Amino acid sequence: MSAGFEELAVERGPRSGALMAVVVHSTRLGPALGGARIWHYPDNDATIADAMRLAESMTHKAAAAGLNLGGGKGVIATPQEARPEGEARRALLLDFGDLVDSLEGRYVTAEDVGSGAEDMEVIAERTAHVVGRSSVPGGSGDPSPVTALGVRAAMRACAAVRYGSTSLAGRRVVVIGLGHVGTALAALLRDDGAEVAVTDIDPGRRPDAEALGARWLEPVSALRAECEILAPCALGGLIDEFSVDDLRCHIVCGAANNVLADRHVAALLAERDVLYAPDFIANAGGLMSVYGELRGLGHEGMVRLAEGIEQTMYTILSRAGSAGVTPLEAALEHSRARLEREARISA
C-alpha cells in the first residue's frame, strides 16, 4: 500500500468475476466516504490507480468542506465498455456490497460515475454502509442537484474574483458533459441568465440541450470554445499540458473530479491567466448531500452546505492571490491545515 493510504481491499467478485476495489485514504476526520464508480479500465493497474487518486481527492474534499468525514473510493471494473444491465449488473452490485461490508464501516459508499440511487438499493441488500438511497426515510437519493448548486456557488465566487461581481447573467458558459450534474447545472445557469452551451460524447444528449434552450457544441470543439467559464462535468483528466493551449476561457470551474491530468497543470493555467476553481472544492455538494443523510440534516441543511461553497471558494482564491500561489495549492493547504488541526487535537 502506498504511503499516506490506510487500506486497500481488492477482490474478484464471486458472482460477477469482476475486479473491484475499495481504497481508504484517510479516516482521521471520520469514516471514509466515496462513491462507487462503475467503469471499464484498460487493465488492473489502471483500476487501482484511479481508485487511489479519487480516494485522496475525497479526503481533501471532506476536510476543506469542514465535514467530519474521511476519504475513500470504490471502483468496479466492467469487462467491457457496455453498461452492465439486468442480472449481470445485480451480480456486480451484490459483490461490491459484500466488499464494502467487509470493511466494517471504515468505508461508506454512495453513487458515482456509472452508478445511481437504484444501484445503492441493491448494494444495501449486502451492507448497511451505503448512502444516497431514496427508499428510506431521510435518504438523500440522487446528489446531482446539490452538486450542481455547489458548482454554481463556486462559479459565483470565481466571477467575483475575476469580474468584481458574483452575477452570472450574460456570462458565456460551456458545460462539458450533459449527465445528471451537467444537466442540472445548465438549467441553473440558464435561470441565472447565462448564455449556456453544452456538449456530450453521446449525440443522443442533443435533444436535452434543446430542451434546456442551450446551444449544442460538438465535443471536438467544446474545449476551444470562446467563453468566460468552462465547466467540465464528465470524467477527469480533461485538461493536460497540451490542451491548456486550446483554452479560450477565463475560468475553469466544473463538477468533474480531477479535472487536471496532473497537478502541475495548475501552474500552466495560471501562466495563461485562466482562473482555476479547484474541483474538490467546487464539486463538494455531492458529498454534502450524502453527509446530510448520514447526519440527518434534511434537504434544506444540504442546500445550505452547498451554498456555503461560494464563501469557501472565495476565501481560497483570495488567499491564492495574496500569497502568489495557484488556487490548487491554496486549496490543498486549506485542507491540510484542517487535517493537521484535528491530528493535534486527537494526539
Side-chain angles (χ1 to χ4, degrees), residues 149-159 253 277 281-282 309-310 313 317:
L149 283 170
V151 174
R152 180 178 66 171
M155 285 184 180
R156 287 175 172 168
C158 291
C253 178
I281 306 294
I309 289 173
E310 181 175 341
M313 184 66 77
L317 295 178

Side-chain angles (χ1 to χ4, degrees), residues 107-124:
Y107 167 74
V108 179
T109 198
E111 69 175 81
D112 195 83
V113 173
S115 65
E118 67 279 4
D119 297 317
M120 299 306 106
E121 301 296 341
V122 180
I123 292 172

